[in-house]
Amino acid sequence: MKTENPPLPSGYSAVPPGKLANVETRLEMFARPPAKAAPETDAALVLKRWLSPEIEAYRALFSAVGEDWMWVSRLVMADDKLAAILRDPQVEVFRLMDGDRAIGLLELDFREESECELTFFGLVADAIGKGAGRFLMDRAIEIAWSRPIRRFWVHTCTFDHPSAVEFYQRSGFRPYAFMVEVIDDPRLVGLMPKNAAAHVPLIEF
């Protein structure tokens, strides 16, 4: 895997106070996987394109979906940079709607030639485990491979749902690399409540 980041040394590396470290798994596919039987889901589920979402509304759904999994990147990103991404015609944002309620977020990034990154994919907590995730992934695969791409890829991490890697593999992705990410703990700087992502220990200093 090509990367500008230096490799970590073997053995243990200390994580500075106030920081978090997680292991990222990168996965990819090079062809559209065979279609599977459609899951039984609520007929009210509809995936809707979200054109040029307002930053505040976008971050609200981003947080509703990602707070339990320590999604923080779009919370710390400068408004102008985030706005440029969301308004880029090669970035497609979708909301999974259950009636009038948004219960999921899907973001596909086609800015790299011949590739699509599944940038964000997730559901609010009470929608998990009911078939909505499979419905959303099937739509993501359909949309991505309707474009002239050769590679569809995604990354997940140890902060994510414990079944995430298995789910992506069942969907046709294959792991190809690990990365370690070190970030400021967003719960210590007020970006998330201190009880967010309870599976990630909070170490106050």
Side-chain angles (χ1 to χ4, degrees):
M1 180 188 66
K2 294 181 179 179
T3 176
E4 296 178 357
N5 303 93
L8 285 174
S10 297
Y12 293 98
S13 297
V15 178
K19 300 282 188 177
L20 292 173
N22 77 89
V23 178
E24 178 187 283
T25 301
R26 297 193 172 192
L27 306 97
E28 63 189 356
M29 64 171 73
F30 290 95
R32 183 173 180 170
K36 297 181 179 180
E40 293 185 8
T41 55
D42 190 324
L45 293 183
V46 178
L47 186 65
K48 292 187 177 181
R49 179 79 182 271
W50 198 7
L51 295 169
S52 299
E54 294 297 324
I55 289 177
E56 185 175 344
Y58 173 88
R59 283 188 174 137
L61 181 57
F62 181 90
S63 294
V65 170
E67 188 172 277
D68 284 344
W69 316 116
M70 204 63 74
W71 286 14
V72 69
S73 60
R74 295 293 172 80
L75 303 181
V76 299
M77 184 177 288
D79 287 357
D80 57 346
K81 184 176 179 181
L82 178 56
I85 292 172
L86 297 179
R87 293 168 187 163
D88 191 310
Q90 292 183 292
V91 176
E92 300 186 8
V93 183
F94 300 83
R95 287 180 290 186
L96 181 61
M97 307 297 298
D98 183 1
D100 295 329
R101 180 189 177 212
I103 64 166
L105 176 66
L106 169 66
E107 190 171 323
L108 300 171
D109 189 338
F110 293 93
R111 289 178 296 174
E112 188 72 27
E113 185 177 1
S114 301
E115 294 193 358
C116 176
E117 180 185 357
L118 181 58
T119 317
F120 293 105
F121 175 96
L123 304 170
V124 297
D126 64 326
I128 295 172
K130 301 176 182 178
R134 173 52 52 199
F135 176 89
L136 186 59
M137 177 57 74
D138 288 348
R139 301 290 83 72
I141 290 171
E142 179 182 343
I143 294 166
W145 288 106
S146 70
R147 310 292 194 269
I149 63 170
R150 66 168 190 85
R151 178 177 179 256
F152 187 26
W153 73 281
V154 63
H155 63 81
T156 184
C157 69
T158 47
F159 292 162
D160 208 345
H161 191 286
S163 299
V165 171
E166 180 185 1
F167 175 80
Y168 287 129
Q169 288 182 288
R170 289 201 313 269
S171 301
F173 292 95
R174 294 293 176 264
Y176 71 92
F178 295 121
M179 299 284 283
V180 174
E181 180 186 34
V182 178
I183 61 171
D184 292 322
D185 190 330
R187 299 167 298 184
L188 295 176
V189 294
L191 286 170
M192 291 182 182
K194 288 191 175 181
N195 62 354
H199 62 297
V200 181
L202 177 65
I203 300 176
E204 299 190 73
F205 60 97

